[in-house]
Amino acid sequence: MQRTVWCAMIAACFLLQASQAADLKLSANNTLEKQGLSVLVYTSKYHPVFRDQKIGGIEIILHDDRIATDGEVRLQPTPEQWAPVPTLAGIKRGAVANQLIVSSGYPDFKLKYHLVVTAEGGGFRVAVHLDQPLPAALAGKAGFNLDFLPTAYFGKSYILDDAFGIFPRHPQGPMKTGPDGKVEPQPMATGKSIVMSPDDPLTRVAITSDDGPLMLYDARDTAQNGWFVVRTLIPAGRSGDVVVWHIRPHVIPGWTRPPMVSFNQVGYTPDRSKVAMVELDPLYKAPDTASLLKLGADGKYTDVFHAKITPWGKWLRYDYATFDFSSIRTPGIYAIEYAGHTFDPFRIAPDLYAKGVWQPSLGVYIPEQMDHVKVREDYRVWHGVSHMDDARQAPPNTVHFDGYTQGPTTDSRFKAGEHIPGLNIGGWADAGDFDIRTETQDAVVRDLAMAKDMFHVDWDQTTVNEAARSVEIRKPDGVPDVVQQVKHGALQLMAQYDVFGHAIPGIIAPTLKQYTFIGDEGSKTDGKIYDPKVGAVQSNVVYSGIPDDRWAFTTHSTPLNYDAASALAAASKVLRGYDDALAKKCLDAAEHIWAAEQKEPPALFHSFNTTGGDLQDEEVTAAVELLLATDGAAIYKARLKALLPDIQKHFMWLGATAARAIPDMDADYKAAVKADLVAYKPTLDKMLAENPFGVPITRGGWAGSGIVGEFAVQMYVLHEAFPDIGGPDYTLRAFDYLLGRHPANNLSLVSTVGTASKLIAYGHNRADYSFIPGGVVPGVLIVPPDFPELKTKWPYLWYENEYVVDDAATFVDAANAAEALTRTKP
């Protein structure tokens, strides 16, 4: 009886969805579309370094939520990020209407196949087609998988034939040890037809398999970043359509996305521009008027201003309009009302950006990222003293899974695997992982040095005792926090210079098991130097037989060396008067690096994003920082003038850097930089006009808040140098973007800053679905071809949610720039 009831429910779901009007149609972008549903077929490829990022293969956007991804043949039931991924050979339209055919495979396993995706009544059909039977080695391993977003299904039900259950908030197994000793998850349920969340029409998806059974897995059983997986094994000994699924996403008839109004979640100063952005589903019948409400002491909102929204036009899949309330200058608490919804409150107040904006980044997040120290915040210990066993020499010709590569030699006096003394000091964890990426260290030092030099930031809320390896948050010690943080970065950079004579790409965990560690970084290694002579389970005060020490990748790269020289020069200025001995060491090292690189042919070694940028760009930055640190030394003046053609060529990135040198350069140099800005501005304005937000929005595999933050600072520097050419709006638009005025939603991208901010992020505490105050997430990713996305509840999409320490340092400068531009004049 029970089986009959469940089967009837499943059949009803399929009949309902099959009867829904308007089938999927193939778009000009090679996506299958209908109102409320998009099916993406390889609009994104698997990453060559990071592999499975949960964006690729066949994907489902249902009611404007990307609920499913990675529809592809996989070699494990719950593959982890660095498991083998298929290689896309091509994609084309099929012979029948609304059909796409993907050519894919695993060349290393001699497996080729086609994925045939065809629209059909109520959804779409997916067939895995083999011209030749499955290689024997892959029998029982290769299957078609489709991954579903856990946070879209937590607490909701599933029905799989006569099995039923609730998607668990925490993985529950079961796990089983196979004959080869590997532990693998077992299916939650098995059958021929499944309905995902029949109780929720927004996320309901039904799947039937023509032949092999469907198996439902919880991939979080093997890794916290896993998704729920529906899978069918490919049968051995067969060719043709070996797996056939019919997928029926339920679409609410006539569904349209509710309007979203985005704005600066911190608020606005009285005299600045105040323009909110309205993001609209093109099929939504949008009201033409929005209102600004003011909150009274009695808890009631009063309509103090209303106006028609101004259409901007269509960008990607949405229509946009602006709501300009710049005329409202009276201080108070306000909220925007549109289409019957009142959005989050914000303030209008003078000097609003002076407090509680950049301070969490400098006062909490950046200290939390400090390596080789213990970090405490009142009752909470963020982490213990970490990585005291740094580091071992990475072997030559080693290609690391996170983008580092050791060249054919070590460029050091150390043998492969040998302990390198002196590196267990200073530096910050790069991001949500725990490596010391030197380019990141350099950027943080330069940005914080700018905060001190340009904005005179003297905030002191952190006690840093380098000798005791102790950091305490919200405990002033009389030294500005930027000075202490610059020193912490300089100590790591100087350690590299003292040991190797040049900057190194970085220091990172050697194995995937260590790299994927989540938790207190003080327990990531045992803190003791590895000695192979000590037994595997033995240790003493200094040494242990456990080879968990991080590897140092030490290849010499001239661009990276210039990058480090620029940071050391910047640090030397900040440290004067606080630690004169270290300030002198930093400047001496920076000048020695410059002299050495200038007289030798450049060492050009490239490894993903760890070996420095463009050679001339890095040289320009080093020349400017050395010029400023040496009060205008002639050697750097001369070289900067010679580099003017490179500055002109890469003005987007180098213009602001070049402008900082103007006070120490002659009139001809200033005129050249000004001419470059005049020539660049039309190109810039045209690029910014391509989207309604007026900031550079990237289209790559990493969302672009860091670029927007850099843009805010760059345009401030150029405005200060040439106020008759630029203007404050560039910086303020970028500042607004970071604090909520962006696509997809209106959350501030800086955790705890603003009324509503990103509070589930990819930090060191991501397994707790939590946040670190002041961390800056990458933000909105444009999922090709046209879907702006920022997941709010799922932390593990690192390209949208991973904090990166240099982005926080950049935000300190961007917020100070916005404050300087809007500061109430006496």
Side-chain angles (χ1 to χ4, degrees):
M1 177 66 180
Q2 187 183 64
R3 178 182 178 90
T4 303
V5 171
W6 291 125
C7 289
M9 290 180 66
I10 292 172
C13 286
F14 276 93
L15 287 171
L16 174 64
Q17 290 163 110
S19 67
Q20 292 175 352
D23 288 337
L24 289 161
K25 303 294 183 184
L26 197 57
S27 74
N29 291 321
N30 277 350
T31 60
L32 292 168
E33 302 282 349
K34 66 181 286 187
Q35 184 176 348
L37 174 64
S38 299
V39 179
L40 313 183
V41 181
Y42 262 112
T43 60
S44 299
K45 297 179 182 179
Y46 292 106
H47 195 278
V49 175
F50 303 123
R51 297 192 183 182
D52 184 356
Q53 304 176 95
K54 300 304 176 192
I55 180 169
I58 298 169
E59 306 183 84
I60 299 173
I61 299 172
L62 181 59
H63 301 119
D64 268 31
D65 189 8
R66 188 167 60 98
I67 60 160
T69 189
D70 278 0
E72 247 287 12
V73 171
R74 303 303 300 273
L75 306 185
Q76 299 91 15
T78 60
E80 297 178 47
Q81 180 176 342
W82 278 277
V85 292
T87 299
L88 176 67
I91 183 169
K92 65 180 182 179
R93 295 192 174 210
V96 303
N98 303 312
Q99 183 182 75
L100 290 169
I101 300 175
V102 174
S103 298
S104 191
Y106 290 83
D108 292 345
F109 296 90
K110 296 181 172 54
L111 173 62
K112 294 181 180 181
Y113 53 87
H114 301 292
L115 301 177
V116 184
V117 183
T118 311
E120 62 181 13
F124 60 102
R125 176 185 187 268
V126 177
V128 179
H129 183 93
L130 297 182
D131 292 332
Q132 301 293 330
L134 192 70
L138 296 181
K141 297 179 180 179
F144 182 78
N145 290 16
L146 183 60
D147 296 2
F148 287 85
L149 178 67
T151 47
Y153 291 92
F154 285 158
K156 299 173 186 177
S157 62
Y158 63 85
I159 302 172
L160 184 48
D161 288 358
D162 56 355
F164 54 90
I166 305 296
F167 287 105
R169 178 60 182 77
H170 192 78
Q172 300 173 357
M175 306 292 287
K176 183 178 180 180
T177 302
D180 57 359
K182 293 182 179 179
V183 178
E184 291 190 348
Q186 301 302 295
M188 299 164 62
T190 302
K192 296 297 291 294
S193 298
I194 185 172
V195 180
M196 311 277 290
S197 71
D199 44 338
D200 180 11
L202 285 171
T203 57
R204 185 188 307 152
V205 178
I207 305 172
T208 60
S209 172
D210 279 0
D211 193 357
L214 301 170
M215 295 173 283
L216 176 63
Y217 289 90
D218 187 345
R220 297 173 304 147
D221 283 328
T222 53
Q224 278 86 352
N225 61 359
W227 292 32
F228 295 119
V229 181
V230 179
R231 171 177 171 86
T232 293
L233 280 170
I234 296 175
R238 285 179 48 187
S239 59
D241 289 350
V242 292
V243 173
V244 177
W245 284 8
H246 303 276
I247 303 175
R248 304 283 189 267
H250 172 74
V251 181
I252 297 172
W255 181 89
T256 56
R257 180 179 184 260
M260 194 275 294
V261 177
S262 65
F263 50 90
N264 187 318
Q265 289 278 354
V266 169
Y268 303 86
T269 54
D271 296 329
R272 63 154 296 191
S273 61
K274 308 173 191 72
V275 182
M277 187 67 65
V278 184
E279 187 175 82
L280 296 164
D281 186 323
L283 296 175
Y284 179 80
K285 294 181 179 179
D288 63 359
T289 301
S291 297
L292 187 70
L293 312 179
K294 186 177 182 184
L295 182 64
D298 59 359
K300 296 180 180 179
Y301 278 109
T302 302
D303 187 335
V304 296
F305 176 80
H306 54 270
K308 288 189 174 184
I309 61 175
T310 303
W312 182 90
K314 189 173 184 180
W315 180 65
L316 303 177
R317 64 170 55 200
Y318 300 124
D319 288 337
Y320 289 87
T322 57
F323 175 53
D324 190 333
F325 54 100
S326 301
S327 61
I328 302 301
R329 294 180 171 84
T330 304
I333 298 176
Y334 294 85
I336 296 168
E337 182 183 58
Y338 181 71
H341 181 77
T342 301
F343 291 85
D344 297 310
F346 57 86
R347 291 177 291 163
I348 295 178
D351 301 326
L352 180 62
Y353 305 141
K355 182 179 180 181
V357 180
W358 52 267
Q359 288 86 348
S361 298
L362 179 60
V364 182
Y365 174 70
I366 294 176
E368 186 277 335
Q369 294 291 109
M370 294 171 74
D371 205 349
H372 304 117
V373 293
K374 177 181 179 179
V375 180
R376 180 173 186 135
E377 181 184 11
D378 300 327
Y379 292 0
R380 178 176 194 162
V381 174
W382 281 101
H383 63 78
V385 179
S386 50
H387 302 120
M388 290 304 295
D389 41 9
D390 277 346
R392 297 174 68 200
Q393 174 66 60
N397 298 312
T398 296
V399 179
H400 191 273
F401 44 81
D402 196 40
Y404 291 87
T405 301
Q406 183 63 49
T409 67
T410 63
D411 286 338
S412 79
R413 65 180 186 273
F414 300 97
K415 298 177 182 178
E418 184 179 355
H419 175 70
I420 304 170
L423 295 179
N424 58 351
I425 187 170
W428 304 274
D430 170 56
D433 47 13
F434 298 94
D435 55 316
I436 290 184
R437 176 178 175 266
T438 297
E439 281 190 67
T440 302
Q441 316 300 305
D442 298 339
V444 174
V445 168
R446 282 194 303 268
D447 282 342
L448 295 184
M450 179 182 286
K452 179 65 174 170
D453 187 48
M454 183 174 292
F455 301 111
H456 313 294
V457 171
D458 59 1
W459 174 268
D460 172 26
Q461 289 291 297
T462 308
T463 292
V464 178
N465 187 330
E466 293 285 358
R469 298 186 182 272
S470 172
V471 175
E472 292 198 61
I473 294 169
R474 281 194 302 280
K475 295 287 190 294
D477 63 356
V479 181
D481 290 354
V482 288
V483 173
Q484 293 174 317
Q485 292 297 336
V486 165
K487 178 176 178 177
H488 194 70
L491 287 171
Q492 171 60 210
L493 298 179
M494 281 304 306
Q496 294 181 15
Y497 177 78
D498 288 342
V499 171
F500 304 103
H502 58 80
I504 65 173
I507 304 171
I508 191 167
T511 66
L512 264 177
K513 185 172 183 178
Q514 285 181 272
Y515 178 80
T516 53
F517 171 94
I518 302 174
D520 176 358
E521 64 187 276
S523 62
K524 190 167 184 286
T525 71
D526 62 10
K528 299 177 180 181
I529 298 169
Y530 171 65
D531 185 347
K533 297 177 183 176
V534 179
V537 295
Q538 295 177 321
S539 67
N540 55 43
V541 175
V542 178
Y543 300 97
S544 86
I546 302 173
D548 60 357
D549 311 20
R550 293 191 295 186
W551 281 356
F553 285 78
T554 58
T555 301
H556 173 211
S557 162
T558 294
L560 180 62
N561 223 18
Y562 277 135
D563 194 52
S566 69
L568 288 168
S572 72
K573 287 189 66 180
V574 172
L575 294 172
R576 291 171 194 164
Y578 295 98
D579 191 331
D580 290 329
L582 181 58
K584 184 179 186 304
K585 283 187 66 177
C586 288
L587 184 56
D588 288 348
E591 292 201 281
H592 180 269
I593 290 170
W594 174 272
E597 295 294 358
Q598 287 286 304
K599 71 180 181 181
E600 298 289 344
L604 300 178
F605 178 82
H606 180 71
S607 175
F608 193 52
N609 64 354
T610 63
T611 48
D614 178 85
L615 175 62
Q616 274 67 49
D617 291 4
E618 299 285 17
E619 186 181 3
V620 167
T621 304
V624 169
E625 295 293 355
L626 280 161
L627 179 80
L628 298 175
T630 58
D631 297 322
I635 185 174
Y636 308 116
K637 286 184 179 181
R639 186 59 185 151
L640 265 180
K641 292 198 75 171
L643 288 167
L644 277 170
D646 191 71
I647 293 169
Q648 181 184 44
K649 180 181 177 182
H650 294 163
F651 195 84
M652 174 183 287
W653 305 113
L654 294 178
T657 301
R660 291 180 61 219
I662 286 173
D664 290 306
M665 299 295 287
D666 59 24
D668 289 343
Y669 177 89
K670 180 176 182 179
V673 175
K674 183 175 183 178
D676 291 343
L677 174 58
V678 170
Y680 167 65
K681 191 172 180 296
T683 301
L684 172 66
D685 290 340
K686 181 180 179 182
M687 177 189 72
L688 299 180
E690 293 175 355
N691 71 74
F693 300 92
V695 300
I697 297 178
T698 60
R699 295 292 192 97
W702 179 275
S705 73
I707 298 297
V708 175
E710 290 175 5
F711 176 74
V713 179
Q714 291 163 355
M715 296 311 293
Y716 173 81
V717 172
L718 290 169
H719 171 65
E720 289 295 294
F722 305 105
D724 56 323
I725 300 176
D729 283 349
Y730 294 100
T731 294
L732 294 177
R733 287 199 304 262
F735 181 62
D736 290 347
Y737 185 96
L738 295 172
L739 293 178
R741 187 180 178 267
H742 53 68
N745 61 47
N746 58 18
L747 293 180
S748 164
L749 304 180
V750 188
S751 292
T752 73
V753 176
T755 305
S757 66
K758 196 71 175 67
L759 296 182
I760 296 177
Y762 191 110
H764 294 162
N765 55 353
R766 57 190 176 275
D768 301 322
Y769 290 67
S770 190
F771 61 89
I772 305 171
V776 181
V777 300
V780 180
L781 183 83
I782 309 303
V783 177
D786 66 353
F787 183 61
E789 177 182 86
L790 174 56
K791 294 295 186 190
T792 59
K793 297 179 181 179
W794 180 247
Y796 291 102
L797 296 186
W798 51 265
Y799 42 81
E800 296 172 7
N801 289 326
E802 185 174 12
Y803 299 133
V804 182
V805 68
D806 54 331
D807 287 349
T810 300
F811 179 71
V812 171
D813 288 340
N816 273 280
E819 196 276 329
L821 289 169
T822 59
R823 186 180 301 138
T824 302
K825 303 298 187 290

